[in-house]
């Protein structure tokens, strides 16, 4: 991998991590279309540390408050009803599914799930799911001629059951093309949460899973079939800078806008990818053996 490739891939990671379009799919597709070697799952996991560092900084006040309340709840039973302490426990609960499945499915994540046909399928299917969830949220917010607007839930109402559902949705993002934010936000919207609440919990929930995954994959970085460590770290720094700008924009965007542009983009990209693979313009394994 050249320095130019690492810069472009870091840029792609930063641009797509927080949008519901799948950063892992776009890293894989960028390599395939440019005829570069697939950067691999380790590269993806480590560069996500850069974007999650942007989350830590952007939500630093929330995170410090949550961690402080959670630690106090360990010794003070009265603190366990505190919303911030509950959020700390719910982030832990919601992180269990992806932790377990990430270990069980590691071989598939590195190989089978990176097939371009799998990515095309998940882009389209999850695009439809996100579209349905977004329309339901819009209908609740707007009401109608014969029905009043429906109040959607905030994170103050997050339960253990909902936290686990969020966690299962996040675990689906182990498959490139699903999108961590897309899956968890869709799950939140379908459970009746506001767009902002669904996105905020999605970002908080991702922190332990992404950081743990990145640290776990460090042992494979620079190894056979993986991108060199120096270029991987450079891409991680690029992803951090770009990611911080994107997350600030995205949180403002969802406060008043629909997710439909992302839905359309996902479906069009998935169909185009199916067409290219079907016409033999792209191999389902394009990039895996090419490049340097």
């Amino acid at each position: 991998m050249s320095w130019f490739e690492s810069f472009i891939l870091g840029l792609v990671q930063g641009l797509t991590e927080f949008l519901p379009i799948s950063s892992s799919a776009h890293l894989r597709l960028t390599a395939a279309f440019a005829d570069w070697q697939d950067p691999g799952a380790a590269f993806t996991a480590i560069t996500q540390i850069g974007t999650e560092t942007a989350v830590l900084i952007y939500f630093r006040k929330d995170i410090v408050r949550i961690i402080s309340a959670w630690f106090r709840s360990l010794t003070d039973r009265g603190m366990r009803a505190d919303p911030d302490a509950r959020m700390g426990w719910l982030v832990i609960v919601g992180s269990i599914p992806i932790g377990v499945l990430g270990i069980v499915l590691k071989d598939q994540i590195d190989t089978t799930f990176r097939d371009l046909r799998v990515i095309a399928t998940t882009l389209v299917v999850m695009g439809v799911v996100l579209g349905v969830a977004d329309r339901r949220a819009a209908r609740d917010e707007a009401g109608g001629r014969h029905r009043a607007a429906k109040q959607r839930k905030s994170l103050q109402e997050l339960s253990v059951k909902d936290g686990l559902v969020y966690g299962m949705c996040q675990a689906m993002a182990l498959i490139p093309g699903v999108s961590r934010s897309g899956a968890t936000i869709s799950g939140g919207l379908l459970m009746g949460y506001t767009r902002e609440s669904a996105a905020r919990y999605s970002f908080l929930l991702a922190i332990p899973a992404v950081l743990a995954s990145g640290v776990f994959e460090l042992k494979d970085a620079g190894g056979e079939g993986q991108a060199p460590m120096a270029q991987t770290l450079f891409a991680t720094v690029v992803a951090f800078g770009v990611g911080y700008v994107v997350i600030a924009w995205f949180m403002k965007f969802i406060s008043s806008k629909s997710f439909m542009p992302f839905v359309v983009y996902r479906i069009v990209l998935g169909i185009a990818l199916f067409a290219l693979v079907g016409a033999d313009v792209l191999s389902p394994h394009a990039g895996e053996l090419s490049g340097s």
Side-chain angles (χ1 to χ4, degrees):
M1 175 183 288
S2 69
W3 290 102
F4 176 73
E5 289 176 40
S6 67
F7 172 77
I8 295 299
L9 293 172
L11 183 65
V12 170
Q13 168 64 27
L15 285 172
T16 59
E17 172 66 16
F18 303 117
L19 305 182
I21 56 177
S22 180
S23 61
S24 56
H26 280 75
L27 288 175
R28 177 75 179 88
L29 292 176
T30 299
F33 283 119
D35 197 29
W36 297 339
Q37 185 177 358
D38 180 0
F43 178 91
T44 300
I46 294 170
T47 54
Q48 284 177 338
I49 293 178
T51 46
E52 285 310 305
T53 302
V55 172
L56 291 173
I57 294 175
Y58 186 85
F59 289 111
R60 60 190 179 279
K61 293 181 180 178
D62 292 356
I63 293 170
V64 169
R65 194 176 63 247
I66 290 169
I67 292 176
S68 175
W70 181 80
F71 271 111
R72 281 183 286 157
S73 75
L74 295 176
T75 56
D76 184 351
R77 299 178 69 90
M79 279 295 298
R80 294 175 188 177
D82 182 86
D84 290 325
R86 288 186 68 254
M87 178 60 70
W89 285 108
L90 289 171
V91 166
I92 293 173
V93 169
S95 300
I96 294 173
I98 196 170
V100 173
L101 292 176
I103 295 173
V104 172
L105 300 175
K106 186 181 187 307
D107 290 341
Q108 288 80 3
I109 294 169
D110 290 337
T111 55
T112 308
F113 291 168
R114 302 184 75 79
D115 188 304
L116 295 184
R117 292 166 296 190
V118 173
I119 293 175
T121 301
T122 53
L123 282 169
V124 173
V125 171
M126 289 307 300
V128 172
V129 172
L130 179 60
V132 171
D134 186 67
R135 288 293 297 272
R136 180 176 294 185
R139 184 181 60 192
D140 287 348
E141 293 165 356
R145 181 178 299 179
H146 302 294
R147 66 179 186 277
K150 182 179 179 180
Q151 184 68 36
R152 304 211 111 217
K153 294 189 286 187
S154 70
L155 289 184
Q156 300 292 329
E157 303 169 77
L158 187 64
S159 64
V160 173
K161 176 185 174 183
D162 288 356
L164 280 172
V165 172
Y166 265 114
M168 291 303 298
C169 291
Q170 177 178 241
M172 293 170 59
L174 292 169
I175 306 174
V178 169
S179 170
R180 186 188 312 275
S181 64
T184 50
I185 289 173
S186 295
L189 294 178
L190 290 172
M191 287 188 289
Y193 289 88
T194 65
R195 288 187 176 90
E196 185 175 2
S197 294
R200 183 174 292 269
Y201 185 63
S202 170
F203 293 152
L204 293 175
L205 182 62
I207 293 172
V210 170
L211 293 181
S213 174
V215 172
F216 180 76
E217 292 287 359
L218 278 173
K219 62 179 176 53
D220 294 329
E224 184 178 355
Q226 300 291 337
M229 176 60 86
Q231 282 88 330
T232 299
L233 294 178
F234 175 62
T236 301
V237 173
V238 173
F240 161 74
V242 177
Y244 187 86
V245 174
V246 171
I247 192 173
W249 170 82
F250 186 61
M251 291 304 293
K252 292 179 181 178
F253 176 87
I254 61 173
S255 64
S256 60
K257 304 294 184 181
S258 164
F259 287 113
M260 290 311 294
F262 303 113
V263 171
V264 173
Y265 173 78
R266 290 182 63 103
I267 293 174
V268 170
L269 179 60
I271 292 174
L273 189 54
F274 269 127
L276 290 171
V277 172
D280 289 329
V281 175
L282 274 179
S283 163
H285 308 286
E288 291 183 359
L289 300 176
S290 62
S292 60

